[in-house]
Amino acid sequence: MELKKFVDFDQIEIAFKAKSDKALKKRHFIFSTMKWPWLVSTGTFMTKFSLAAGLPVKGLIKSTIFDIFCGGESLDTCTDACDELEQYGIGAIFDYSVEGEKSEEGFDATANEVLKTIKMASKSEVMKFAAFKITGIGAFDLLAKIHDGQTLNGEEQAAYSRIEKRVESICALAYELGVTVLIDAEETWIQKPVDDLTIDMMKKYNKEKAVVYYTFQMYCHAMLENLKKLHGQAKEESYILGAKLVRGAYMEKERERAGELNYTDPIQPNKSATDNDFNAAVKYCVENLTEIGLFAGSHNEESNYRLTLLLDELGLAKNDKRVYFGQLYGMSDHISFNLSHGGYNVIKYVPYGPLKATIPYLIRRAAENTSVKGQSGRELTLVSKELDRRKKQ
């Protein structure tokens, strides 16, 4: 497919129009650091050690990497991030990125926080989206036991019933307030209960349009067929399939576990296979838009170009409400802002939460920018060009 460009991701003035010189210089420093894996590894170790030892490093973290990749420590402090995005026609998904909860009180608190994000999203002038992880509102070990088909005792059955009720309360409120809710994918060894919960909610709330979205991690080699299978199931049972497509976030962990436990590696053999399946999945969704809602979450320029081309080829409007482009806050602004400027529907995931609790998320972002070929270098090059351009004005 020849990539005719309906949008130019090299329009750096558009990409960084919302950023002050100070914000760009900070971003330049952060992505300069992320170019070096040893620095990221050292920084990760020192961050964990310093926080565990109670050393006064929170201010430094908050003013650097947290400020780049997170909207704030509470929903109320995300206002600036929301306003900045909405000013340029970009929606915000406020993602409560607290991980590792283990108590029922903690799960209830997280579910209540997700409900708050739905209420806030319902007031958006641009796009109304929310997102959550099942492991934020239920125990990982319990989900793993269900995935393995083990028998639950009475206490475990009661705990799973509470998870079901939390999921139901979130999706019901989203439906009531006209908000789209994305249920994130997780590790493959807990995916069955995540699938079951998500599919049950789609059956219930996706009768007229996609309200609840299932996440397909395309770095899993079985995921393209899974997309087609779930689409067929949705057609048979008369509901719309909400398809959030991403490449994925747990590849190293998945490979390591498969090797340790000696089962078939669920991960694609290489990046090219992942890219091919991602692009094929996007094409499949766009060709079946009467029955599928598409959220294409990608930082890959070519994949985003291909989606703009597909919309044009099929005579679909750039802002067709069944198709959304998505990127993470703090990353790929050259994609997000230029797509929005071109008239496409764009959403940014805006993580937030208490600084210490968001450290696992921030570590993943740092690792991703280091490991994904060219990611930090591309970000750094674009920021450098914009700083140079501003100096010459």
Side-chain angles (χ1 to χ4, degrees):
M1 181 189 297
E2 182 182 352
L3 296 182
K4 178 181 178 182
K5 293 185 178 180
F6 294 99
V7 60
D8 184 359
F9 295 142
D10 290 321
Q11 292 292 316
I12 56 174
E13 184 176 358
I14 293 171
F16 300 116
K17 194 172 184 179
K19 301 298 180 188
S20 66
D21 289 353
K22 181 179 179 181
L24 276 181
K25 288 174 182 176
K26 181 186 292 187
R27 184 170 289 209
H28 187 278
F29 168 75
I30 293 297
F31 284 107
S32 294
T33 303
M34 288 179 180
K35 282 177 58 180
W36 306 101
W38 68 271
L39 268 179
V40 173
S41 297
T42 302
T44 297
F45 172 79
M46 292 304 297
T47 296
K48 291 179 177 178
F49 174 81
S50 299
L51 289 171
L55 298 177
V57 296
K58 287 187 178 180
L60 176 62
I61 297 169
K62 188 173 182 179
S63 64
T64 53
I65 188 169
F66 182 89
D67 186 52
I68 296 291
F69 295 114
C70 293
E73 290 199 78
S74 68
L75 193 57
D76 291 338
T77 59
C78 290
T79 304
D80 289 346
C82 178
D83 290 347
E84 176 186 291
L85 294 171
E86 289 203 346
Q87 182 181 351
Y88 295 93
I90 298 173
I93 300 176
F94 293 106
D95 185 17
Y96 188 56
S97 296
V98 172
E99 302 179 13
E101 288 288 357
K102 298 197 180 288
S103 69
E104 291 299 306
E105 294 78 10
F107 297 140
D108 282 337
T110 298
N112 287 332
E113 193 68 30
V114 175
L115 293 173
K116 289 181 186 177
T117 68
I118 292 170
K119 291 172 185 175
M120 185 169 177
S122 71
K123 300 171 185 175
S124 171
E125 298 292 331
V126 181
M127 294 165 208
K128 305 176 190 297
F129 274 78
F132 73 101
K133 280 186 171 186
I134 301 293
T135 50
I137 59 173
F140 188 101
D141 290 345
L142 175 59
L143 296 171
K145 192 169 183 178
I146 295 168
H147 179 89
D148 286 341
Q150 298 180 40
T151 301
L152 304 184
N153 61 35
E155 184 179 335
E156 289 168 333
Q157 288 173 340
Y160 186 65
S161 293
R162 289 191 290 272
I163 295 174
E164 291 178 309
K165 288 178 182 177
R166 293 180 191 119
V167 172
E168 169 67 33
S169 69
I170 289 168
C171 295
L173 183 65
Y175 179 80
E176 177 188 339
L177 297 182
V179 173
T180 299
V181 62
L182 310 174
I183 301 180
D184 290 341
E186 309 206 42
E187 291 87 344
T188 57
W189 61 95
I190 64 165
Q191 195 60 42
K192 185 181 185 304
V194 174
D195 285 1
D196 292 344
L197 290 163
T198 305
I199 291 168
D200 283 348
M201 293 298 98
M202 288 196 294
K203 287 179 182 178
K204 187 168 186 178
Y205 294 111
N206 287 16
K207 293 297 186 181
E208 295 87 25
K209 65 175 184 177
V211 173
V212 179
Y213 277 63
Y214 177 106
T215 300
F216 297 86
Q217 297 195 102
M218 303 310 299
Y219 69 7
C220 292
H221 52 70
M223 205 51 65
L224 183 58
E225 285 308 309
N226 190 37
L227 168 66
K228 295 175 181 178
K229 181 189 80 174
L230 292 188
H231 174 221
Q233 180 178 326
K235 283 199 296 184
E236 287 178 8
E237 301 188 34
S238 301
Y239 65 90
I240 305 297
L241 174 65
K244 175 190 168 191
L245 306 182
V246 298
R247 280 170 169 79
Y250 304 98
M251 184 169 66
E252 289 80 8
K253 187 191 294 187
E254 292 280 0
R255 279 231 161 98
E256 184 178 341
R257 187 175 189 271
E260 288 176 354
L261 300 182
N262 195 32
Y263 61 83
T264 302
D265 187 350
I267 304 304
Q268 300 271 18
N270 50 52
K271 183 179 183 300
S272 178
T274 301
D275 291 342
N276 289 340
D277 274 12
F278 183 92
N279 293 332
V282 168
K283 187 172 187 290
Y284 182 86
C285 289
V286 175
E287 289 175 344
N288 291 280
L289 274 187
T290 56
E291 299 150 351
I292 298 177
L294 170 62
F295 183 100
S298 175
H299 293 197
N300 182 287
E301 293 178 13
E302 181 178 328
S303 290
N304 283 288
Y305 280 136
R306 284 177 178 272
L307 180 47
T308 65
L309 185 55
L310 278 169
L311 293 175
D312 179 73
E313 284 183 343
L314 296 176
L316 297 167
K318 291 180 178 181
N319 62 347
D320 189 301
K321 293 302 182 184
R322 298 166 296 180
V323 179
Y324 293 86
F325 296 76
Q327 289 82 42
L328 295 169
Y329 188 71
M331 293 175 62
S332 301
D333 281 354
H334 65 295
I335 294 176
S336 306
F337 281 79
N338 279 300
L339 280 170
S340 179
H341 183 76
Y344 298 93
N345 299 320
V346 183
I347 307 281
K348 280 280 200 184
Y349 258 75
V350 182
Y352 75 96
L355 187 144
K356 189 172 182 179
T358 60
I359 290 299
Y361 172 83
L362 293 172
I363 288 172
R364 284 205 304 277
R365 294 290 74 78
E368 179 178 293
N369 277 279
T370 302
S371 63
V372 176
K373 185 177 179 181
Q375 180 71 50
S376 59
R378 176 65 164 151
E379 299 275 2
L380 182 60
T381 297
L382 291 168
V383 171
S384 298
K385 284 182 178 179
E386 176 60 8
L387 286 171
D388 288 344
R389 187 193 68 79
R390 292 184 184 188
K391 284 179 185 177
K392 294 172 183 177
Q393 283 186 326

